[in-house]
């Protein structure tokens, strides 16, 4: 009896398992070493990814702070000449132009985008799915294409460059971004809340006004502020359409100045004073953009906290 | 989602009409937008036909208008950017998900997001003032030394080059690649990861043999989204590439991409030149829309499969 048991043919599976076990034990030292090196490389790559950020911030602070002063922020630019090469003046009108163009673009884009977001959130028809796909593709299109669009439909008919053309280009740029963010926010509102409203006899529009929009507000505001921040830094579309202005232009029907455009123009200037001032303009722009992006985080975090 | 409120509910027709109206208006704006580019490009398309794509020489103002060099530079700068940003970005995503201590995780993630908040003109300025001298004084002599000054590292030490443009782009697309690949890696089932670890696999083995293969589709989506951004980036490239439409014969030659050419030449373009630039815009639109649609399919599939 015991004879047959010991004379069983070797089990291939057990043998294989034994081999794997031995191999694993033999290689554990090497594998652990490789793993440690791999983990180290991943962390090193992450640090490497942050080096450019650090370099950009240091550059902005080092070179930008030097050219920023109170007069720089609220006076008009002056054209340097061979005699007075250092007279660059200020960037007051560029700040003003940036705020006006970005602000009006937001005023146009927000209502349309929020309604489009509601439509996308409440409808899953074929048309809505198609529009959703198009909206997402739009967010990835190069912004300069909107410059070409605004040139053709605003600058050409008006026969002049204008802040309005920049407003139109940035508004079209912002709509898909806000629509996408608000669609996600609206979808996040629990269906039970909506149904409770409907069960009380409220109409869809009343449910939207009274329940969906308030509940989704943090998400919508985050999307709006982020898209304002993104649009504020856009250079390519406004480069094609807003022209140039060295005075205070409050009327968007005329050429205007803007911070990103001024950064671009100064960076390629023949005057060293203007090239140096490009960093001051860039720093001002970055601070304004950061206020909007950080503001969006603050608002959404705070509104969420209040609700819970 | 059967429980979603029906938009066509007859009880509230004005509301349904308002939403549909907004959607229709936005759809119409998109149609007009696409049409404006096609319409402006039409005279050039009609006159130069396929030479617009295959022609080797692009001379602004007078023509001929052949975008082959611009297309090549656009693709080349994007490939350089991906070659840098994909390994670094994927590593960062893995580090953010699995390696960074919990305490500083959200801080580390917000640093990467900060990279995305910097306007592109600032990256252009940084590339122009900091990266260009570093490239021409340090990197280029080093790389030229490897091949003895031959291809692909030959050329004058000007700083402005397709390589510089690619490097600036790599920084700009980094946040996109990190954010999207982190999202798709995060949905790799924990069972699979723990299963790998319980079999005695080391962390690196789990990363390379379980996590990355499982999240493959979504990672390709992330790369495609990054590529789409790089292909269309305009102002930063225009500031550092040297605005010289020529076929690249080394990594250090100046060049011009589709987008950068539109930015630098549009202001002085009249008549035919303007139409030729609109044709570039049309090419750019077709390329980036296709890449983005492809990326969308991939990332959607990755998320839909729970992976």
């Amino acid at each position: 009896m015991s004879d047959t048991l010991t004379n069983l043919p070797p089990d291939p599976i057990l043998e294989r398992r034994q081999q794997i076990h031995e191999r694993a034990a033999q290689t554990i030292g090497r594998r652990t070493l490789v793993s440690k090196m791999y983990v180290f490389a991943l962390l090193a790559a992450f640090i490497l990814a942050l080096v450019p950020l650090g370099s950009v911030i240091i550059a902005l602070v080092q070179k930008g702070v030097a050219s920023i002063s109170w007069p720089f922020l609220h006076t008009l630019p002056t054209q340097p000449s061979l005699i007075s090469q250092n007279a660059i003046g200020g960037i007051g009108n560029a700040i003003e132009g940036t705020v006006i163009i970005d602000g009006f673009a937001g005023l146009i884009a927000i209502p349309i985008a929020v309604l489009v977001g509601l439509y996308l959130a409440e409808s899953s028809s074929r048309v809505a799915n198609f529009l959703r796909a198009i909206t997402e593709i739009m967010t990835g299109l190069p912004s300069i294409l909107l410059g070409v669009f605004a040139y053709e439909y605003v600058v050409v008919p008006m026969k002049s460059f204008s802040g309005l053309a920049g407003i139109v280009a940035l508004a079209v740029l912002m709509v898909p971004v806000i629509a996408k963010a608000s669609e996600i926010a609206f979808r996040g509102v629990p269906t039970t809340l909506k149904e409770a409203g409907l069960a009380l006899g409220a109409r869809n529009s009343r449910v939207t006004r009274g329940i969906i929009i308030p509940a989704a507000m943090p998400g919508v505001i985050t999307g709006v502020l982020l898209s304002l921040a993104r649009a504020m830094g856009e250079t390519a579309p406004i480069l094609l359409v807003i022209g140039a202005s060295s005075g205070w232009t409050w009327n968007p029907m005329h050429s205007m100045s803007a911070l990103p455009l001024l950064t671009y123009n100064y960076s390629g200037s023949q005057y060293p004073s203007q090239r140096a001032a490009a960093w001051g303009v860039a720093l001002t722009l970055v601070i304004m953009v950061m206020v909007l992006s950080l503001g969006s985080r603050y608002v959404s975090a705070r509104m969420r906290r209040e609700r819970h | 989602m059967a429980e979603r409120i029906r938009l066509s509910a007859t009880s509230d027709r004005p509301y349904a009409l308002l939403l549909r109206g907004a959607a229709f208006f936005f759809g119409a704006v998109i149609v007009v937008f696409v049409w404006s580019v096609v319409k402006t490009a039409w005279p050039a398309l009609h006159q130069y036909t396929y030479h617009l794509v295959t022609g080797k020489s692009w001379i602004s103002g007078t023509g001929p208008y052949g975008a082959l060099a611009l297309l090549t530079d656009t693709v080349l700068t994007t490939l350089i950017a991906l070659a840098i940003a994909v390994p670094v970005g994927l590593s960062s995503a893995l580090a953010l998900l699995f390696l960074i201590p919990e305490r500083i995780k959200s801080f580390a993630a917000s640093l990467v997001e900060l990279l995305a908040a910097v306007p592109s003109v600032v990256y252009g300025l940084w590339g122009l003032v900091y990266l260009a001298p570093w490239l021409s004084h340090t990197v280029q002599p080093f790389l030229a030394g490897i091949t003895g000054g031959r291809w692909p590292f030959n050329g004058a030490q000007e700083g402005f080059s397709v390589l510089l443009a690619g490097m600036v782009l790599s920084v700009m697309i980094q946040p996109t690649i990190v954010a999207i690949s982190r999202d798709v890696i995060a949905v790799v089932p924990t069972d699979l990861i723990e299963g790998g670890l319980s079999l005695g696999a080391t962390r690196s083995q789990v990363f390379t043999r379980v996590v990355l293969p499982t999240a493959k589709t979504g990672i390709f989506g992330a790369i495609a989204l990054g590529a789409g951004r790089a292909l269309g980036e305009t102002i930063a490239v225009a500031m550092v590439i040297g605005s010289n439409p020529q076929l690249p014969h080394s990594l250090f030659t100046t060049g011009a991409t589709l987008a950068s050419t539109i930015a630098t030449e549009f202001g002085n373009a009249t008549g035919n030149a303007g139409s030729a630039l609109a044709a570039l815009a049309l090419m750019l639109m077709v390329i980036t829309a296709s890449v983005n649609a492809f990326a969308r399919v991939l990332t959607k599939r990755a998320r839909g499969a729970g992976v």
Side-chain angles (χ1 to χ4, degrees):
Chain A
M1 199 58 187
S2 64
D3 207 42
T4 45
L5 264 181
T6 46
N7 285 342
L8 272 176
D11 184 342
I13 296 175
L14 277 178
E15 257 184 20
R16 179 82 185 117
R17 197 175 284 170
Q18 186 64 32
Q19 280 173 5
I20 291 173
H21 200 79
E22 279 165 14
R23 183 103 179 95
Q26 279 166 11
T27 57
I28 186 67
R30 187 168 54 82
R31 286 187 298 135
T32 315
L33 183 68
V34 169
S35 182
K36 278 191 177 141
M37 280 159 59
Y38 192 84
V39 165
F40 178 75
L42 291 185
L43 287 171
F46 180 66
I47 306 282
L48 184 69
L50 295 178
V51 168
L53 179 68
S55 173
V56 168
I57 292 175
I58 291 171
L60 276 171
V61 172
Q62 252 182 2
K63 303 209 165 191
V65 170
S67 48
I68 290 187
S69 61
W70 173 237
F72 182 73
L73 292 176
H74 75 96
T75 58
L76 289 174
T78 47
Q79 182 61 38
S81 61
L82 286 174
I83 309 149
S84 58
Q85 290 205 359
N86 291 325
I88 46 150
I91 57 168
N93 65 331
I95 296 178
E96 171 254 333
T98 292
V99 171
I100 288 187
I101 293 173
D102 204 42
F104 275 107
L107 284 182
I108 298 173
I110 292 165
I112 299 171
V114 171
L115 288 175
V116 171
L118 263 178
Y119 173 79
L120 293 178
E122 294 208 1
S123 173
S124 48
S125 66
R126 212 175 272 180
V127 179
N129 289 338
F130 183 68
L131 190 68
R132 187 175 302 116
I134 296 288
T135 307
E136 271 178 34
I137 291 172
M138 279 288 286
T139 57
L141 284 190
S143 56
I144 191 154
L145 296 177
L146 294 163
V148 176
F149 161 70
Y151 185 85
E152 206 49 33
Y153 278 91
V154 184
V155 175
V156 170
M158 283 176 61
K159 295 195 178 64
S160 85
F161 294 111
S162 65
L164 178 68
I167 291 170
V168 168
L170 293 189
V172 180
L173 194 73
M174 288 164 85
V175 170
V177 181
I178 305 177
K180 186 78 204 137
S182 34
E183 184 200 349
I184 293 171
F186 292 139
R187 275 180 190 274
V189 179
T191 321
T192 46
L193 278 183
K194 293 185 221 169
E195 282 168 351
L198 290 173
L200 288 171
R203 290 170 171 234
N204 275 340
S205 56
R206 187 76 189 81
V207 170
T208 300
R209 231 176 337 122
I211 298 172
I212 301 181
I213 289 186
M217 202 45 117
V220 175
I221 290 185
T222 309
V224 166
L225 289 177
L226 280 181
S227 79
L228 280 172
R230 192 186 143 185
M232 184 175 273
E234 282 291 350
T235 318
I238 60 172
L239 168 70
L240 304 193
V241 298
I242 70 163
S245 162
S246 54
W248 301 98
T249 316
W250 299 99
N251 183 351
M253 292 300 164
H254 298 120
S255 292
M256 294 181 97
S257 184
L259 291 171
L261 194 53
L262 202 62
T263 312
Y264 175 70
N265 289 336
Y266 276 5
S267 74
S269 165
Q270 53 169 322
Y271 298 105
S273 57
Q274 282 193 331
R275 288 203 299 275
W279 288 97
V281 190
L283 180 60
T284 314
L285 175 65
V286 167
I287 290 173
M288 288 169 67
V289 169
M290 288 301 160
V291 165
L292 285 173
S293 339
L294 296 178
S296 78
R297 286 178 154 232
Y298 176 75
V299 167
S300 64
R302 195 188 150 127
M303 289 183 87
R304 266 187 207 115
R305 211 176 324 127
E306 273 174 10
R307 187 147 299 126
H308 295 303
Chain B
M1 285 224 178
E3 66 271 25
R4 190 168 300 144
I5 304 156
R6 270 192 309 136
L7 193 57
S8 56
T10 42
S11 64
D12 205 349
R13 213 157 171 76
Y15 173 66
L17 284 177
L18 177 69
L19 294 198
R20 285 214 186 123
F24 178 79
F25 176 72
F26 180 53
V29 169
I30 294 174
V31 171
V32 172
F33 157 58
V34 174
W35 173 242
S36 73
V37 177
V38 175
K39 191 185 79 176
T40 321
W42 189 252
L45 293 176
H46 189 71
Q47 189 181 343
Y48 300 103
T49 62
Y50 66 91
H51 294 291
L52 268 175
V53 179
T54 57
K56 282 182 192 157
S57 105
W58 176 277
I59 297 164
S60 58
T62 58
Y65 299 109
L68 190 62
L70 308 176
L71 285 163
T72 314
D73 283 349
T74 306
V75 174
L76 183 60
T77 49
T78 302
L79 289 179
I80 295 170
L82 290 178
I84 303 170
V86 169
V88 177
L90 283 183
S91 306
S92 304
L94 284 174
L96 275 174
L97 278 171
F98 300 111
L99 303 175
I100 309 268
E102 205 63 44
R103 281 177 294 127
I104 57 165
K105 210 174 233 178
S106 70
F107 172 71
S110 59
L111 283 182
V112 178
E113 282 169 34
L114 206 57
L115 267 176
V118 176
S120 50
V121 69
V122 177
Y123 281 119
L125 185 63
W126 173 73
L128 189 74
V129 177
Y130 278 76
L131 227 44
W134 178 65
L135 198 71
S136 60
H137 294 144
T138 313
V139 180
Q140 191 171 353
F142 170 74
L143 288 175
I146 295 176
T147 60
R150 281 186 294 276
W151 188 88
F153 301 126
N154 50 328
Q157 297 183 11
E158 295 172 80
F160 300 135
S161 59
V162 285
L163 180 65
L164 177 60
M167 286 169 74
V168 172
L169 283 176
S170 77
V171 177
M172 301 179 68
I173 66 173
Q174 192 82 265
T176 309
I177 292 184
V178 174
I180 310 285
S181 55
R182 192 179 57 153
D183 285 356
V184 296
I185 291 173
V187 291
V188 171
T190 321
D191 296 0
L192 285 182
I193 297 170
E194 285 170 356
L197 290 172
S198 72
L199 285 173
T202 58
R203 279 210 280 192
S204 70
Q205 285 177 315
V206 171
F207 287 152
T208 52
R209 298 183 191 191
V210 178
V211 176
L212 293 180
T214 317
K216 195 173 59 187
T217 313
I219 289 173
F220 279 122
I223 295 172
L225 275 177
R229 237 201 115 181
L231 290 166
E233 176 48 44
T234 308
I235 218 74
V237 174
M239 288 165 85
V240 299
I241 200 170
S243 304
N244 182 11
Q246 59 173 345
L247 279 167
H249 44 81
S250 99
L251 288 176
F252 293 120
T253 43
T254 52
T257 65
L258 292 173
S260 80
T261 306
I262 303 172
T264 49
E265 294 182 8
F266 201 87
N268 307 317
T270 47
N272 250 353
S275 180
L277 289 175
L280 295 186
L282 185 60
M283 288 179 214
L284 191 59
M285 190 193 291
V286 172
I287 294 170
T288 50
S290 320
V291 170
N292 274 304
F294 178 63
R296 191 179 118 86
V297 170
L298 289 181
T299 48
K300 207 178 160 196
R301 191 186 296 165
R303 290 198 181 113
V307 169

